[in-house]
Amino acid sequence: MKILIYSYNYHPEPIGIAPLMTELAEGLARRGHEVRVLTGMPNYPERRIYEGYRGKLYCTEVINNVRIDRCYVWIRPKPGLLTRLALDGSFAITSFLRALNGWRPDVMLMTSPPLAATVPAALLRWMYRCPLILNLQDILPEAAVHTGLITSKRAIQVFEALERFAYKTSTAISAIAEGFVDNLVSKGVSPNKIALIPNWVDVNFVQPMPKNNAFRAAHGLQGKFVVLYSGNIALTQGLETVIDAAKVLDGRPEAAQIQFVIVGEARAIERLGQYCRENAVSDRVKLLPFQPREALPEMMAAADVSLIVQRRNVVGFNMPSKTQVILASGRPIIGSVPGHGTAAQAIRRSEAGIVVEPESPQALAEAILALAQDPDRAERLGRQGRQHALEMYSFDSSLDRYEQLFNHLVKQSRRHSAAVTVPAALAGTSQPLQLPQPSASNRSH
């Protein structure tokens, strides 16, 4: 099968949707499919095009049997509404033109955000007469409005129109969490059009490993109770809560060995460093830049507990992609997240951690101290999380489901079916999704 993946983010970007789409593309290629990826020049999270890709309108690479067509994007370091519109618009134009220079796909998978790229994707669907699956990683503009990223009424109207267009013109929608399904149905999308396929984690790449490893040694963490946050540092996270929790624990003898480690993009780390100095907790909080992907398993293993942090105004359906990674690492989770949200539901369902009130340094500090003083409980939570990852989030299970969805839609398309529906086994449901047990053939990649 010829599969076109339309994704703004892709390798070598280290976090977010890029690793997921890279793993999906390479996994499909290993199963014998011909895979082509349309993507932007790599720039995330620094919001600066990586060296080696600058000054180019287009470039093509073949990595692990995947053809990657990279397109110019207009990017600026400081995000804002106008710069975001220019970024999304530039990718929509350049990617559409590049898409015309290649083979006709049997099926297309388009990731969203960005919403603007759904316009060229819809045009390509019409031109190629092939199914188009909209892969929802976030629901815009709703998520951006809730967090204050978009306030202009005119801009909200434009984005809402794009959202309706995206849902209408896609053949099917793959949602990553139950909350997404409920949101889509409330907006009039037919449940028969929605496939529920959670994001995954490579459970052979990220797995329980000894805590006393090279990462701990390199950063002077031996003998410490390490509280790790690794990932995006943006408005929706509010990492100041973590630093304030460190301040709460400062001076408490029972917390003497607790060490916070925050890993993120360099400029965000610099801003947090200033906040640490203002609160006199620089010794308690270690700030590190993003680590190479090959160091991810040891970094996760070096933690005694890992954090998921969100502001209280984050929309309930938001599901941080780091959740599956922490579960696979076999370490307990403390979620400083809205109690009604998808992240909180995932933590509770996995029985892998503790959910505390968001933006409450005191609650976060007490939860950390509770696990530091009860290592048996922490170990039990970590084991339960690992088992949940094996049962619910293995890569091969998700890959099987995408293949099933692609094959089903292509067959319906070739029969010119009037009413296209997703397979019953993948249909959106508000009930917990039961994935197949991982097979012994699961492989790291």
Side-chain angles (χ1 to χ4, degrees):
M1 187 185 304
K2 291 183 176 179
I3 302 170
L4 176 60
I5 296 178
Y6 211 121
S7 175
Y8 170 73
N9 298 107
Y10 197 77
H11 171 84
E13 295 174 336
I15 61 171
I17 186 61
L20 289 166
M21 288 300 107
T22 304
E23 290 171 355
L24 178 61
E26 293 179 0
L28 290 167
R30 280 200 305 276
R31 293 192 176 187
H33 301 289
E34 192 171 350
V35 183
R36 179 187 180 199
V37 174
L38 277 172
T39 187
M41 296 294 177
N43 62 81
Y44 188 75
E46 293 88 353
R47 297 183 63 85
R48 177 176 170 82
I49 293 176
Y50 291 9
E51 190 173 350
Y53 295 93
R54 295 171 191 162
K56 298 179 179 180
L57 184 60
Y58 296 108
C59 73
T60 298
E61 301 171 293
V62 177
I63 302 175
N64 294 330
N65 294 320
V66 176
R67 171 179 166 175
I68 308 161
D69 286 328
R70 302 189 186 275
C71 311
Y72 170 81
V73 290
W74 192 92
I75 187 88
R76 291 296 181 270
K78 292 185 178 181
L81 179 58
L82 292 179
T83 55
R84 184 73 214 190
L85 289 172
L87 168 61
D88 291 354
S90 64
F91 177 61
I93 294 169
T94 58
S95 62
F96 176 71
L97 296 175
R98 190 62 170 177
L100 300 176
N101 182 25
W103 38 252
R104 176 190 177 279
D106 296 306
V107 65
M108 293 172 53
L109 178 75
M110 160 78 205
T111 64
S112 178
L115 273 175
T118 60
V119 176
L123 288 173
L124 291 170
R125 177 199 173 187
W126 174 75
M127 293 172 60
Y128 291 137
R129 300 183 183 278
C130 70
L132 169 63
I133 297 100
L134 180 66
N135 172 243
L136 277 187
Q137 294 291 326
D138 207 347
I139 295 182
L140 295 177
E142 197 166 336
V145 172
H146 272 262
T147 54
L149 293 175
I150 302 178
T151 56
S152 165
K153 290 184 178 180
R154 180 61 59 86
I156 292 170
Q157 290 173 345
V158 171
F159 279 114
E160 286 178 342
L162 277 173
E163 182 189 19
R164 291 191 295 271
F165 175 83
Y167 299 159
K168 183 177 181 180
T169 56
S170 59
T171 311
I173 300 170
S174 63
I176 63 172
E178 293 93 335
F180 281 49
V181 175
D182 295 337
N183 184 278
L184 291 169
V185 172
S186 73
K187 293 174 179 175
V189 179
S190 169
N192 293 329
K193 193 175 184 176
I194 307 169
L196 180 54
I197 309 178
N199 286 341
W200 57 87
V201 59
D202 187 334
V203 294
N204 294 319
F205 178 59
V206 178
Q207 58 181 301
M209 299 171 63
K211 290 180 182 177
N212 293 315
N213 56 30
F215 184 86
R216 279 203 175 219
H219 300 291
L221 299 172
Q222 300 95 327
K224 300 290 187 181
F225 184 90
V226 176
V227 180
L228 174 69
Y229 177 89
S230 175
N232 195 26
I233 301 173
L235 183 64
T236 55
Q237 279 77 41
L239 266 291
E240 292 81 6
T241 298
V242 178
I243 295 169
D244 291 340
K247 182 74 171 178
V248 170
L249 293 174
D250 227 24
R252 296 177 64 168
E254 65 272 30
Q257 298 306 311
I258 295 177
Q259 177 72 55
F260 292 80
V261 178
I262 299 176
V263 182
E265 189 267 322
R267 277 177 301 202
I269 287 293
E270 186 178 341
R271 291 194 299 271
L272 287 179
Q274 178 60 36
Y275 192 78
C276 286
R277 290 187 290 272
E278 292 170 358
N279 286 274
V281 292
S282 296
D283 292 339
R284 174 79 70 174
V285 182
K286 187 176 290 290
L287 302 172
L288 301 174
F290 276 125
Q291 305 296 296
R293 179 159 177 78
E294 57 269 22
L296 177 64
E298 281 200 340
M299 181 183 73
M300 301 304 298
D304 289 280
V305 62
S306 285
L307 302 180
I308 299 174
V309 183
Q310 295 176 326
R311 291 191 183 276
R312 62 171 58 94
N313 64 346
V314 169
V315 289
F317 51 72
N318 186 276
M319 177 68 164
S321 58
K322 66 171 61 64
T323 307
Q324 291 92 334
V325 176
I326 299 172
L327 291 170
S329 74
R331 298 297 183 259
I333 301 172
I334 297 178
S336 174
V337 297
H340 63 280
T342 300
Q345 292 171 8
I347 295 170
R348 294 190 185 106
R349 185 175 299 148
S350 65
E351 298 183 325
I354 302 170
V355 176
V356 301
E357 181 185 356
E359 297 186 68
S360 173
Q362 185 70 40
L364 179 56
E366 294 301 331
I368 292 168
L369 193 58
L371 290 185
Q373 294 177 328
D374 192 349
D376 291 341
R377 181 189 181 195
E379 184 178 351
R380 184 179 71 255
L381 293 173
R383 285 198 309 268
Q384 291 169 174
R386 171 68 182 179
Q387 185 62 34
H388 192 75
L390 290 171
E391 294 173 1
M392 298 293 290
Y393 299 124
S394 74
F395 173 65
D396 276 6
S397 294
S398 293
L399 189 58
D400 288 343
R401 288 175 173 271
Y402 273 109
E403 269 195 313
Q404 183 182 355
L405 179 61
F406 293 161
N407 286 324
H408 181 82
L409 294 179
V410 168
K411 287 178 182 178
Q412 285 193 332
S413 175
R414 289 172 178 169
R415 291 199 301 262
H416 304 289
S417 301
V420 178
T421 61
V422 303
L426 304 182
T429 171
S430 59
Q431 299 303 313
L433 180 66
Q434 298 299 319
L435 295 180
Q437 293 288 331
S439 66
S441 64
N442 279 359
R443 299 188 307 271
S444 174
H445 71 288

